[in-house]
Amino acid sequence: LSLDDPTTDPFLVARAAADHIAEATGIEGHDVALVLGSGWGGAAELLGDVVAEIPTNEIPGFSKPAVAGHVATTRSIRIERADGSVRHALVLGSRTHLYEGKGVRHVVHGVRTAAATGAQTVILTNGCGGLNLDHGPGTPVLIRDHINLTATSPLEGATFVDLTDLYSSRLRDLARSVDGSLGEGVYAQFPGPHYETPAEVRMAGVLGADLVGMSTTLEAIAARHAGLEVLGISLVTNLAAGISPTPLSHGEVIEAGQAAGPRISSLLAEIAKL
Ligand SMILES: Nc1nc2[nH]c(I)nc2c(=O)[nH]1
């Protein structure tokens, strides 16, 4: 059963992955899945008790992490809600970017696996470049809609899927009930791995984008196709190329991401508990 074999049904691999997760964590079904992008790493611990932590590369369909030595783990977290009910969150340990060249099936395997575990909701987070000066580095922004500039799709064959309200307005309202100051934006995914030129950033702005990144849109499409309700949140880690009058230092970008860590981690934990 390999995603790289075109004759393999990718949903069978997701099923095998979900069965492995149930067996390895002892949790039969998960309710919500989280994909933690750059800057969002601290959220898992605030969600609740880590019931189980398993090596991601032992789950069918998840290949070895790109970064040698970094053992990505997938965690099952028990969320106790205010009304005393319990939900299980699956925090996917690794994200495959399109630019890794492993193929789009790998990019969306995590969300397909999440759906196969029984999750009804997926929260996709990422780090991105911002086009608006009022959403500077360190600002979390709710994704209202996306522009997929990857020229590809995770769906195969005549799989026509409506993407209206892809980024659930219900979940965006819930997120704002946690933090009313949260803004919204349109996220454009470029293939990467290079960053945009100032001209490409200007183009993205003309097209209506507020945020530019290299992930999320393909995962969101696959999540919707798999029946998941989607919430997307970006952390503006830097102003996109050409937006800042003064070139941003890398140190400032790292510092802004780290400074935002505690705030966005507690924000995400509060939202996931709803
Ligand atoms: N495409 C794109 N992706 C990003 N990821 C991060 I963090 N910053 C950027 C950015 O400026 N552009």
Side-chain angles (χ1 to χ4, degrees), residues 85-252:
S85 62
V86 168
R87 274 156 64 94
H88 287 100
L90 184 71
V91 179
L92 290 161
S94 67
R95 166 182 253 155
T96 300
H97 289 87
L98 188 63
Y99 56 67
E100 294 177 51
K102 293 179 182 170
V104 69
R105 286 178 161 196
H106 289 270
V107 171
V108 302
H109 181 56
V111 293
R112 286 183 171 151
T113 297
T117 68
Q120 286 91 31
T121 309
V122 65
I123 303 177
L124 300 171
T125 64
N126 61 51
C128 72
L131 275 69
N132 303 330
L133 288 172
D134 56 359
H135 289 162
T139 309
V141 180
L142 296 175
I143 299 175
R144 176 176 68 251
D145 201 351
H146 81 217
I147 299 172
N148 171 8
L149 295 176
T150 67
T152 187
S153 172
L155 308 183
E156 302 169 24
T159 319
F160 305 114
V161 174
D162 168 56
L163 296 181
T164 313
D165 199 32
L166 172 57
Y167 296 89
S168 162
S169 46
R170 183 185 81 87
L171 293 179
R172 280 184 275 131
D173 289 341
L174 279 182
R176 262 189 295 275
S177 72
V178 172
D179 179 345
S181 71
L182 279 172
E184 293 193 347
V186 173
Y187 175 99
Q189 178 176 354
F190 282 80
H194 54 279
Y195 287 127
E196 298 67 42
T197 63
E200 287 164 338
V201 170
R202 273 197 305 278
M203 173 199 75
V206 170
L207 294 176
D210 303 289
L211 309 161
V212 289
M214 302 179 195
S215 70
T216 308
T217 71
L218 299 173
E219 290 147 286
I221 294 167
R224 160 58 72 82
H225 173 253
L228 294 170
E229 193 175 8
V230 179
L231 174 67
I233 318 178
S234 285
L235 170 66
V236 175
T237 308
N238 58 280
L239 287 177
I243 297 293
S244 164
T246 57
L248 262 167
S249 77
H250 186 63
E252 280 171 30

Side-chain angles (χ1 to χ4, degrees), residues 51-68:
V51 169
E53 184 162 13
I54 60 176
T56 303
N57 61 347
E58 287 176 6
I59 307 172
F62 288 92
S63 45
K64 291 240 177 291
V67 178

